Amino acid sequence: MTTSKQEHREVARARAGANFALVKYWGKADARLNVPAVGSISITLDALFTETTVEVTPGLARDELMLNGTRRDEDLAKISACLDLLRRRAAVDTRARVASRNNFPTGAGLASSASGFAALVRAGEAAFGLTLSPRERSIVARQGSGSAARSIFGGFVEMHAGTAADGSDSFAEPLLASADWPLEVVIAVTAKGEKEIGSRTGMTRSATSSPYYAAWVAGQPPDLATGRSAIRARDFAALAELAEHNCLKMHAAALAARPPLVYWNGATVECLHAVRRLRAGGVPVFFTIDAGPQLKAVCEPGSRAVVEAALRAVPGVLELSTSALGPGAELY
Ligand code: DP6
């Protein structure tokens, strides 16, 4: 393996952080190209990440995937489709061995597909001898998983839904570096194991059966504008109000689907109240929840200990993890 990022290398390793959306992606405009129906804004984390090795292997009949040390043939189609995008650009047909490891639970609503596809694209690009721009990387990663387009970048990130029929303007870009507003995240894990209804199925069901889906989509441009300006102004109170509103609105659309999508358990709701109580008492913290029962509390660094103590005291919280904001997908 060579060390220069410019050189062709057949084996490459990349690390990408998970990200959580503060203004959520929920719904698709084009399922084939995986173009989202709405833009989104997220934060990339440094402590929850995926590390992926891509080894281009001549003579291999099909790609191979090891996830956390176990063969995952059920995920291979999505991985191969993403690698195909890179192979097409590199004008090669060689298959690859992919070994990927998450340092956090997989498929439990903790953004493993985001960090997973971002790391895959970053490593795959290098392994196939390509040099993509960050924007091109984001476009390729989006086709693996919409949220992965954001994990290409660090800090605060905005994903543009775009309007082009070919998805060429559907990519993420950085909004603010983590060093410019070093918020922290405390994650309350309230259930382990893979979630029942993945976000892809949940989105489709919401779009086709929720009476609130159209309102959700229509409300996103003003929420994105508010989120963007709150982040640029580093206005914690404005971001807190907006992020909780946007999260609850996404869940309202999901709850009203048929059959309903209830991603929360009792502890999720207790954590939500605990965060609201803290903020009412003057602690700079807000919550967000994705397609799973874990609650993510975003706070200013000086409040981390008090947030951890409050969430640890909630019955049903199994464990906490804490993260600062982190960098985008990188080779290592
Ligand atoms: C609730 O990016 O996992 O976390 O594009 O189908 O792979 P696909 O969906 P995915 O959806 C993420 C949904 C969410 C909100 C968000 O991260 O913006």
Side-chain angles (χ1 to χ4, degrees), residues 5 20 35 55 80 92 105 108 177 237 243 247 255 315-316 327 331:
K5 289 180 190 177
F20 298 145
V35 173
E55 184 182 356
S80 284
V92 297
C247 164
L255 284 162
L331 298 175

mmCIF file of all heavy atoms in Angstrom, residues 5 20 35 55 80 92 105 108 177 237 243 247 255 315-316 327 331:
data_model
loop_
_atom_site.group_PDB
_atom_site.id
_atom_site.type_symbol
_atom_site.label_atom_id
_atom_site.label_comp_id
_atom_site.label_asym_id
_atom_site.label_seq_id
_atom_site.Cartn_x
_atom_site.Cartn_y
_atom_site.Cartn_z
ATOM 1 N N LYS A 5 -2.023 10.224 -0.939
ATOM 2 C CA LYS A 5 -3.453 10.191 -1.244
ATOM 3 C C LYS A 5 -3.694 10.309 -2.750
ATOM 4 O O LYS A 5 -4.748 9.978 -3.234
ATOM 5 C CB LYS A 5 -4.158 11.320 -0.511
ATOM 6 C CG LYS A 5 -4.222 11.082 0.973
ATOM 7 C CD LYS A 5 -4.929 12.208 1.687
ATOM 8 C CE LYS A 5 -4.751 12.033 3.185
ATOM 9 N NZ LYS A 5 -5.342 13.098 3.949
ATOM 10 N N PHE A 20 -25.848 13.262 13.087
ATOM 11 C CA PHE A 20 -27.256 13.370 13.485
ATOM 12 C C PHE A 20 -27.823 14.629 12.867
ATOM 13 O O PHE A 20 -27.192 15.690 12.925
ATOM 14 C CB PHE A 20 -27.400 13.470 15.010
ATOM 15 C CG PHE A 20 -26.895 12.261 15.750
ATOM 16 C CD1 PHE A 20 -26.288 12.407 16.990
ATOM 17 C CD2 PHE A 20 -27.032 10.986 15.223
ATOM 18 C CE1 PHE A 20 -25.814 11.298 17.676
ATOM 19 C CE2 PHE A 20 -26.561 9.865 15.904
ATOM 20 C CZ PHE A 20 -25.951 10.030 17.136
ATOM 21 N N VAL A 35 -32.494 10.537 -4.191
ATOM 22 C CA VAL A 35 -32.529 11.990 -4.019
ATOM 23 C C VAL A 35 -33.577 12.308 -2.951
ATOM 24 O O VAL A 35 -34.719 11.868 -3.058
ATOM 25 C CB VAL A 35 -32.889 12.703 -5.342
ATOM 26 C CG1 VAL A 35 -33.098 14.198 -5.111
ATOM 27 C CG2 VAL A 35 -31.795 12.466 -6.370
ATOM 28 N N GLU A 55 -10.430 -3.421 -0.455
ATOM 29 C CA GLU A 55 -9.286 -4.065 -1.099
ATOM 30 C C GLU A 55 -9.735 -4.539 -2.480
ATOM 31 O O GLU A 55 -10.527 -5.481 -2.596
ATOM 32 C CB GLU A 55 -8.838 -5.263 -0.250
ATOM 33 C CG GLU A 55 -7.609 -5.931 -0.779
ATOM 34 C CD GLU A 55 -7.214 -7.142 0.071
ATOM 35 O OE1 GLU A 55 -7.850 -7.397 1.099
ATOM 36 O OE2 GLU A 55 -6.275 -7.825 -0.351
ATOM 37 N N SER A 80 -22.394 -3.137 -3.236
ATOM 38 C CA SER A 80 -21.916 -3.322 -4.611
ATOM 39 C C SER A 80 -22.430 -2.209 -5.510
ATOM 40 O O SER A 80 -21.701 -1.725 -6.388
ATOM 41 C CB SER A 80 -22.377 -4.673 -5.171
ATOM 42 O OG SER A 80 -21.594 -5.697 -4.609
ATOM 43 N N VAL A 92 -13.167 0.412 -14.472
ATOM 44 C CA VAL A 92 -12.674 -0.923 -14.117
ATOM 45 C C VAL A 92 -13.863 -1.785 -13.707
ATOM 46 O O VAL A 92 -14.943 -1.269 -13.410
ATOM 47 C CB VAL A 92 -11.652 -0.895 -12.950
ATOM 48 C CG1 VAL A 92 -10.416 -0.122 -13.336
ATOM 49 C CG2 VAL A 92 -12.279 -0.326 -11.686
ATOM 50 N N PRO A 105 -23.387 0.665 18.128
ATOM 51 C CA PRO A 105 -24.357 -0.323 17.633
ATOM 52 C C PRO A 105 -24.813 -0.047 16.206
ATOM 53 O O PRO A 105 -25.072 1.095 15.831
ATOM 54 C CB PRO A 105 -25.531 -0.187 18.606
ATOM 55 C CG PRO A 105 -24.966 0.423 19.834
ATOM 56 C CD PRO A 105 -23.815 1.286 19.396
ATOM 57 N N ALA A 108 -29.309 0.730 14.844
ATOM 58 C CA ALA A 108 -30.175 0.976 15.998
ATOM 59 C C ALA A 108 -30.583 2.445 16.077
ATOM 60 O O ALA A 108 -30.878 2.959 17.147
ATOM 61 C CB ALA A 108 -29.458 0.555 17.281
ATOM 62 N N ALA A 177 -17.398 24.989 10.782
ATOM 63 C CA ALA A 177 -16.448 24.007 11.322
ATOM 64 C C ALA A 177 -16.750 23.722 12.793
ATOM 65 O O ALA A 177 -17.246 24.596 13.511
ATOM 66 C CB ALA A 177 -15.028 24.539 11.176
ATOM 67 N N ALA A 237 -30.162 29.067 21.612
ATOM 68 C CA ALA A 237 -31.601 29.026 21.927
ATOM 69 C C ALA A 237 -32.425 28.853 20.650
ATOM 70 O O ALA A 237 -33.384 28.065 20.609
ATOM 71 C CB ALA A 237 -32.012 30.296 22.663
ATOM 72 N N ALA A 243 -34.599 22.734 16.288
ATOM 73 C CA ALA A 243 -34.261 21.306 16.149
ATOM 74 C C ALA A 243 -35.323 20.432 16.817
ATOM 75 O O ALA A 243 -35.717 19.395 16.262
ATOM 76 C CB ALA A 243 -32.882 21.024 16.741
ATOM 77 N N CYS A 247 -37.670 17.827 14.719
ATOM 78 C CA CYS A 247 -37.658 16.405 15.097
ATOM 79 C C CYS A 247 -39.073 15.920 15.400
ATOM 80 O O CYS A 247 -39.512 14.874 14.897
ATOM 81 C CB CYS A 247 -36.747 16.229 16.308
ATOM 82 S SG CYS A 247 -36.960 14.666 17.154
ATOM 83 N N LEU A 255 -45.671 8.977 12.894
ATOM 84 C CA LEU A 255 -46.695 8.396 13.781
ATOM 85 C C LEU A 255 -48.038 8.277 13.078
ATOM 86 O O LEU A 255 -48.822 7.368 13.364
ATOM 87 C CB LEU A 255 -46.862 9.283 15.030
ATOM 88 C CG LEU A 255 -45.763 9.173 16.098
ATOM 89 C CD1 LEU A 255 -45.822 10.384 17.029
ATOM 90 C CD2 LEU A 255 -45.894 7.880 16.883
ATOM 91 N N PRO A 315 -35.010 6.054 34.269
ATOM 92 C CA PRO A 315 -35.148 4.587 34.219
ATOM 93 C C PRO A 315 -35.273 4.128 32.761
ATOM 94 O O PRO A 315 -35.965 4.758 31.966
ATOM 95 C CB PRO A 315 -36.467 4.330 34.972
ATOM 96 C CG PRO A 315 -36.697 5.555 35.809
ATOM 97 C CD PRO A 315 -36.088 6.702 35.049
ATOM 98 N N GLY A 316 -34.559 3.055 32.424
ATOM 99 C CA GLY A 316 -34.622 2.545 31.049
ATOM 100 C C GLY A 316 -33.455 3.004 30.190
ATOM 101 O O GLY A 316 -33.270 2.502 29.089
ATOM 102 N N PRO A 327 -14.463 15.453 12.427
ATOM 103 C CA PRO A 327 -14.087 15.754 11.042
ATOM 104 C C PRO A 327 -14.910 14.957 10.031
ATOM 105 O O PRO A 327 -15.659 14.055 10.395
ATOM 106 C CB PRO A 327 -12.624 15.308 11.001
ATOM 107 C CG PRO A 327 -12.560 14.174 11.956
ATOM 108 C CD PRO A 327 -13.545 14.487 13.045
ATOM 109 N N LEU A 331 -9.006 9.374 4.897
ATOM 110 C CA LEU A 331 -8.159 8.187 4.791
ATOM 111 C C LEU A 331 -7.247 8.140 6.006
ATOM 112 O O LEU A 331 -6.906 9.169 6.569
ATOM 113 C CB LEU A 331 -7.304 8.249 3.526
ATOM 114 C CG LEU A 331 -8.045 8.289 2.194
ATOM 115 C CD1 LEU A 331 -7.053 8.468 1.052
ATOM 116 C CD2 LEU A 331 -8.887 7.033 1.992
#
